[in-house]
Amino acid sequence: MPLSHDQITRFLKSVHPYDALPSDTLDDLANQIEVWEVEEGSPVYELGTTLPGIFVVYEGQVEITDENGAVVSHLGLRNSFGERGLLKDGKAATHAHAHTPTVLMVLPPNVVRDLIDNHDVVAKFFDRTRGERTSPQSLATSSIDTLMARSPAVCPPSMPVRKAAQMMRDRHISSLCISEGDKLLGIATLRDISGKYVADGMPESTPISTIMTPDPITLSPFDIGSDVLHVMMERGIGHIPISEGGKLVGIVTQTDLTHYQAVNSAELVRRIAHADSADEMALVTAEIPQLLVQLVAGGNRHEIVTRLITDIADTVTRRLLALAEKKLGPPPVPYLWLACGSQGRQEQTGVSDQDNCLMLDDSVTEGDMAYFAKLAKFVSDGLDTCGYFYCPGDMMATNPQWCQPVRVWREYFNGWIAKPNPEAQMLASVMFDLRPIGGTFDLFADLQADTLAAANANSIFVAHMISNSLKHTPPLGLLRGFATIRSGEHRNTLDLKHNGVVPVVDLARVYSLQGQLTEANTRARLKAAEAANVLSSSGARDLLDAYDLIAETRLEHQVRLVKSEEKPDNYLPPSALSDFERSHLRDAFVVVKTMQSAVGHGKGMLG
């Protein structure tokens, strides 16, 4: 079907990033676009062929498959494809064919490059790596949205001062916003109450409006910390209401600023290291969600954020071990406490349970085991108190199966490698992420090296581990390129853990196994796999870029929940994303799916 210039222009105005182009640029772009009509089942392009440009679906559906014929994505209205290959080397990185009768718009390569060179919004859209994050922000450059306390206490102007003072006392706050409906009328502080109401001996029935500061200066959530500091210094005030669209949405106080500066990972680690009980540590770990918000808002990359948060969990664990030894006495034999799961990989976010185990020196006796059972319970109970909840699968040192001498651990790993049934695959996957946390680290060194060598030498075990790594797949489907959860509490959302980061975590574990690499962290594994020639440079770069985007999206989702005073989780509704974000997230999932397909077809060296 031929499309008129006006039809093309109107359509492009509904597709990001072209909707942000100046009208004259958009008009010129419409003149240079080609329109293709592709019959159902016919190819759009084949793998390795020179791409004629970037495609945008105007009508119909396109199926994308990899070199092995595996479907990696279904694309529909407004979805674009072909850009990864075009911007990389000009060659198609996948196959594409029309799943239904389809109409496509084609943007020629010279047009795309010209748009990228001259329009930042287009350059940003096609930036696969998202670039380096900016350097961490200070209090002065942080967004007020990060600094402010939400849901500020409010009262009507008629409320008696005495009742208002009681309200402040009961809520442990130093100010009240006075409002009628959504309209902010004024603000009253404890200083106003003492300096006016008490000092002047006003009657008990005096309304709060009598002593309030009317029409207080307000700031927007989109202002920055320096604006708060400058207003406070210039006007000699300690409370600033925050409004958006004329509606009160928060307040910033001097206490908030102090708290913001105090909440950093080093300070939390210091307080935990000096705590005398799990309850004391729990008061500190309760600040982790706010730390998450600040780290992400401060421009830190996801691997830095998760590393700092994991460091806190490590400190909690070591402090609990020290307190356990103080209570129970010195251990009868050397031991090593290890973490697996996200803590083992140093990838904890705002949502974490505990996965851990104990390795004991082979000189341990049956009589000694009671000591380590008590130690395991003390530490695991303490971790639970601190918000690292008990593992639903009982992968904890409190389970006698995971509190054993090193010789038994050798038997475990040898058994899993020799007979890789589904349970063995699952256990091996968990235990290959082990990382020593506290105790005698030497107990693990030889065991790790020997296990990796034995696992790598057993081709059947490696094949089973590869198969196991493909059980979690990216959520690619028809609707906007995503397949959401279909039922239950998290219906119509994407599971950014099990269908987002876990597929990459599993791939990295396989590469680590193939290269006998000792790293546990996912990014470190991918880089080490590239260095060891287990993974090609282009494969490592693509997978790292995809992983970074998925992991960043997950953290940003958790931060949005924390800022809305909700519990962070991994379930993202696609509707929360812009077209720009959806497009890039979908492309990241396509990369992961393609890499899974390559590994599944026995291609460890990915190009």
Side-chain angles (χ1 to χ4, degrees):
M1 59 180 287
L3 298 177
S4 68
H5 179 277
D6 286 345
Q7 284 178 304
I8 294 174
T9 303
R10 284 198 303 271
F11 183 75
L12 290 176
K13 286 181 179 178
S14 70
V15 181
H16 192 74
Y18 316 109
D19 59 341
L21 293 173
S23 56
D24 57 339
T25 303
L26 193 63
D27 184 69
D28 183 55
L29 174 60
N31 288 326
Q32 301 181 71
I33 280 180
E34 299 177 24
V35 178
W36 287 18
E37 295 182 63
V38 187
E39 296 180 357
E40 181 178 348
S42 297
V44 177
Y45 56 70
E46 300 289 349
L47 177 72
T49 57
T50 300
L51 288 165
I54 288 175
F55 297 86
V56 182
V57 180
Y58 180 85
E59 185 179 285
Q61 292 181 359
V62 173
E63 186 173 83
I64 306 295
T65 55
D66 65 15
E67 60 180 317
N68 302 302
V71 177
V72 294
S73 188
H74 284 95
L75 308 178
L77 179 68
R78 296 188 181 87
N79 287 159
S80 62
F81 60 99
E83 56 262 44
R84 185 162 70 98
L86 181 71
L87 299 175
K88 184 178 181 181
D89 57 12
K91 303 291 185 181
T94 55
H95 301 277
H97 71 271
H99 195 60
T100 64
T102 300
V103 178
L104 302 170
M105 291 184 179
V106 187
L107 285 67
N110 62 309
V111 174
V112 174
R113 293 190 177 94
D114 182 65
L115 289 172
I116 290 173
D117 290 341
N118 293 288
H119 299 278
D120 289 343
V121 67
V122 180
K124 182 180 179 183
F125 183 81
F126 290 119
D127 176 17
R128 286 283 179 228
T129 67
R130 299 178 110 194
E132 289 297 318
R133 285 277 201 138
T134 57
S135 58
Q137 295 171 304
S138 67
L139 168 64
T141 58
S142 295
S143 166
I144 287 180
D145 183 63
T146 304
L147 304 172
M148 71 183 189
R150 297 171 188 276
S151 304
V154 298
C155 72
S158 59
M159 177 178 282
V161 176
R162 182 180 179 86
K163 186 174 180 181
Q166 291 171 341
M167 185 176 174
M168 290 190 213
R169 178 201 62 196
D170 294 343
R171 296 195 182 187
H172 304 288
I173 55 177
S174 58
S175 65
L176 280 176
C177 291
I178 292 83
S179 64
E180 281 185 331
D182 288 337
K183 185 178 181 182
L184 177 66
L185 301 178
I187 185 171
T189 68
L190 288 176
R191 187 169 65 175
D192 293 324
I193 293 174
S194 62
K196 299 175 183 178
Y197 174 74
V198 176
D200 293 343
M202 292 183 176
E204 190 170 318
S205 60
T206 302
I208 191 72
S209 58
T210 304
I211 67 166
M212 74 179 184
T213 300
D215 301 317
I217 185 171
T218 65
L219 292 173
S220 159
F222 308 110
D223 289 325
I224 58 177
S226 61
D227 297 320
V228 174
L229 293 168
H230 293 165
V231 170
M232 285 184 174
M233 294 300 178
E234 180 182 353
R235 297 176 178 255
I237 57 178
H239 305 75
I240 299 179
I242 309 301
S243 64
E244 182 178 3
K247 183 179 180 181
L248 181 69
V249 295
I251 190 167
V252 177
T253 69
Q254 289 179 335
T255 301
D256 295 322
L257 302 184
T258 302
H259 182 68
Y260 181 89
Q261 291 177 304
V263 178
N264 61 70
S265 60
E267 174 61 15
L268 298 191
V269 164
R270 184 194 67 79
R271 288 161 59 191
I272 290 167
H274 292 86
D276 290 324
S277 69
D279 288 335
E280 275 189 48
M281 286 183 261
L283 296 175
V284 183
T285 56
E287 299 182 39
I288 289 176
Q290 180 60 32
L291 175 65
L292 176 67
V293 171
Q294 292 177 201
L295 289 172
V296 173
N300 294 281
R301 289 177 59 89
H302 74 92
E303 68 270 23
I304 300 299
V305 175
T306 54
R307 174 63 180 268
L308 293 175
I309 289 177
T310 304
D311 285 348
I312 295 170
D314 291 355
T315 306
V316 170
T317 305
R318 284 190 286 268
R319 184 57 182 157
L320 287 169
L321 286 169
L323 292 175
E325 289 189 23
K326 183 178 180 180
K327 177 182 179 181
L328 302 173
V333 299
Y335 72 88
L336 177 61
W337 185 282
L338 303 99
C340 43
S342 59
Q343 185 183 0
R345 297 189 304 273
Q346 296 178 296
E347 294 166 3
Q348 287 189 312
T349 66
V351 187
S352 296
D353 58 6
Q354 55 175 292
D355 298 280
N356 46 60
C357 65
L358 269 171
M359 291 185 181
L360 313 176
D361 188 86
D362 283 339
S363 63
V364 68
T365 66
E366 188 64 32
D368 296 330
M369 297 303 291
Y371 175 94
F372 292 108
K374 293 176 182 177
L375 180 139
K377 179 171 173 46
F378 183 94
V379 176
S380 287
D381 287 351
L383 288 170
D384 182 71
T385 297
C386 293
Y388 304 101
F389 306 117
Y390 298 122
C391 172
D394 203 19
M395 300 289 291
M396 298 184 297
T398 50
N399 182 340
Q401 185 177 4
W402 310 127
C403 177
Q404 293 291 336
V406 172
R407 64 176 182 274
V408 175
W409 280 99
R410 284 187 181 277
E411 293 171 3
Y412 285 163
F413 280 106
N414 290 336
W416 297 333
I417 293 168
K419 296 181 179 179
N421 56 41
E423 181 185 13
Q425 295 169 39
M426 182 274 292
L427 293 173
S429 294
V430 173
M431 295 304 175
F432 272 120
D433 292 349
L434 285 175
R435 181 173 61 89
I437 303 297
T440 305
F441 282 37
D442 289 347
L443 293 176
F444 183 59
D446 291 342
L447 175 61
Q448 183 185 37
D450 294 346
T451 298
L452 285 171
N456 180 264
N458 189 319
S459 59
I460 295 176
F461 175 75
V462 173
H464 279 282
M465 288 294 288
I466 289 173
S467 176
N468 188 65
S469 74
L470 305 179
K471 291 180 178 178
H472 294 100
T473 58
L476 292 165
L478 293 175
L479 181 61
R480 293 258 183 189
F482 293 134
T484 57
I485 297 171
R486 294 186 175 182
S487 61
E489 178 185 358
H490 304 295
R491 184 172 178 267
N492 296 328
T493 65
L494 303 173
D495 185 342
L496 291 179
K497 178 181 178 180
H498 292 102
N499 300 115
V501 298
V502 167
V504 185
V505 168
D506 289 343
L507 284 172
R509 188 184 297 113
V510 168
Y511 300 141
S512 178
L513 178 61
Q514 291 174 328
Q516 298 184 49
L517 308 172
T518 58
E519 289 80 2
N521 177 264
T522 298
R523 279 189 117 262
R525 280 174 165 171
L526 293 175
K527 289 185 175 182
E530 178 186 8
N533 292 322
V534 174
L535 182 61
S536 71
S537 294
S538 61
R541 183 172 62 250
D542 286 347
L543 197 51
L544 280 167
D545 288 347
Y547 177 59
D548 287 345
L549 180 57
I550 296 166
E552 297 281 3
T553 302
R554 180 191 184 196
L555 280 184
E556 288 163 0
H557 164 66
Q558 292 186 4
V559 164
R560 280 194 293 270
L561 292 176
V562 173
K563 288 164 71 174
S564 298
E565 299 182 346
E566 298 178 53
K567 185 178 179 180
D569 62 28
N570 296 300
Y571 301 100
L572 171 70
S575 59
L577 301 173
S578 65
D579 284 344
F580 164 75
E581 292 167 325
R582 277 195 294 269
S583 177
H584 282 295
L585 185 59
R586 181 203 50 167
D587 289 344
F589 289 147
V590 168
V591 169
V592 177
K593 178 78 171 181
T594 301
M595 301 294 266
Q596 283 185 324
S597 178
V599 168
H601 284 79
K603 298 175 182 178
M605 292 290 291
L606 304 181

